Amino acid sequence: MRVRDWYLSGLSTHYRQTLILAAFAAPHSNALARAGSNHAGALRLAVEQPGVLSRVVPQVRQLFERFPATSPAAAGDARFEFFMRVVWPRIKDSVSRGLLLFVPSYFDFVRLRNALKADDSVDFASISEYSSTAEVLRARGRFYHGHRRMLLYTERAHFYNRFRIRGIKDLIFYSLPDHGEYYSELVNLLEEGGGAATSHGAHEATVTSLFCPWDVLQLERVVGSGRAKKMLKGESGTYMFC
């Protein structure tokens, strides 16, 4: 007698109140919100993101490159193919040391690590959320002293530890971080000297970020909501900020 009829009829989803609280919007939480079907409707708070480009201190070229992806499920393969076909051949011979490759997803991290291991022309170190303290110290030391010219670094490792990586000369965001503030934090760790050489022999640090149309949430947290709309719909696939 205490159970209401709509529960017994399987209609409880229309009367359930679901509250979702998060530091920022994400595809997973958005999908969960759409799964609700309360008879009174739903309310979603949309925040106009200002971006974090104003927090970047170094005077550095920040290049954003857009690549095509037909669906969210295909974005991972499209990103890897674009990186290995377009970005990697361009940088692997030009960077002498100090390249930090930031990879938000651990699955992408493993895929990249395996691909780079197969390339005998590159020496790199790696830090993930599963790296031991000894492995982290060894990787950071080798990267800083130039014994490894590239470092793979995951977002969750940064989330848990906030390592201040020393020796960064150039920076690549394989995918933009979910936490937008990590973009400015890592760019502000750039050091002068070393890295990729220009035609005049002097180093000019660069920051390269890859994004696709399905990265709209991460993109707007970095560049701002207004810029993100233009970058996703613009004819050009390359955008630069200084």
Side-chain angles (χ1 to χ4, degrees):
M1 295 295 295
R2 295 181 180 180
V3 180
R4 298 184 181 275
D5 292 337
W6 61 71
Y7 286 104
L8 298 176
S9 302
L11 301 176
S12 59
T13 182
H14 301 297
Y15 296 89
R16 184 187 69 238
Q17 292 182 338
T18 304
L19 303 178
I20 303 175
L21 305 177
F24 50 79
H28 309 84
S29 58
N30 289 346
L32 179 60
R34 286 193 294 269
S37 56
N38 189 285
H39 73 94
L43 177 65
R44 177 175 177 268
L45 177 62
V47 179
E48 186 78 9
Q49 296 288 346
V52 297
L53 295 182
S54 60
R55 304 180 191 176
V56 173
V57 177
Q59 296 294 320
V60 59
R61 292 190 307 166
Q62 301 168 66
L63 182 67
F64 290 79
E65 296 190 56
R66 189 181 66 209
F67 63 91
T70 56
S71 68
D77 290 336
R79 189 185 312 275
F80 179 76
E81 191 274 336
F82 181 81
F83 177 83
M84 298 303 297
R85 178 178 56 87
V86 178
V87 180
W88 181 240
R90 187 176 70 209
I91 64 173
K92 71 174 183 177
D93 295 326
S94 62
V95 177
S96 59
R97 57 178 291 186
L99 173 62
L100 179 69
L101 180 55
F102 180 85
V103 188
S105 166
Y106 181 75
F107 300 105
D108 287 334
F109 168 83
V110 173
R111 188 176 192 178
L112 277 175
R113 185 183 61 187
N114 293 339
L116 295 177
K117 281 183 178 179
D119 190 342
D120 297 333
S121 64
V122 60
D123 51 343
F124 69 96
S126 60
I127 297 176
S128 74
E129 56 270 33
Y130 300 109
S131 300
S132 65
T133 302
E135 290 172 336
V136 171
L137 292 174
R138 184 164 54 248
R140 294 178 64 183
R142 289 175 175 175
F143 179 70
Y144 173 66
H145 293 291
H147 302 308
R148 296 292 184 271
R149 62 175 177 149
M150 186 170 70
L151 176 66
L152 268 66
Y153 186 42
T154 65
E155 181 169 4
R156 289 184 69 191
H158 190 70
F159 175 84
Y160 288 120
N161 301 284
R162 291 300 201 282
F163 293 125
R164 290 190 60 85
I165 307 296
R166 301 174 62 192
I168 304 175
K169 314 298 182 183
D170 295 283
L171 181 58
I172 294 180
F173 288 91
Y174 183 76
S175 178
L176 290 169
D178 287 321
H179 297 76
E181 64 271 19
Y182 293 175
Y183 178 87
S184 56
E185 285 182 12
L186 292 173
V187 175
N188 288 340
L189 293 178
L190 280 170
E191 299 179 3
E192 297 181 358
T198 65
S199 58
H200 301 289
H203 170 257
E204 186 176 344
T206 58
V207 178
T208 303
S209 304
L210 308 184
F211 72 97
C212 72
W214 307 103
D215 295 332
V216 56
L217 296 176
Q218 296 94 322
L219 182 64
E220 67 177 8
R221 285 194 286 269
V222 173
V223 303
S225 299
R227 289 194 184 101
K229 294 177 182 177
K230 297 178 181 178
M231 294 169 64
L232 291 169
K233 297 180 180 180
E235 295 183 2
S236 174
T238 304
Y239 300 86
M240 182 179 294
F241 302 93
C242 297

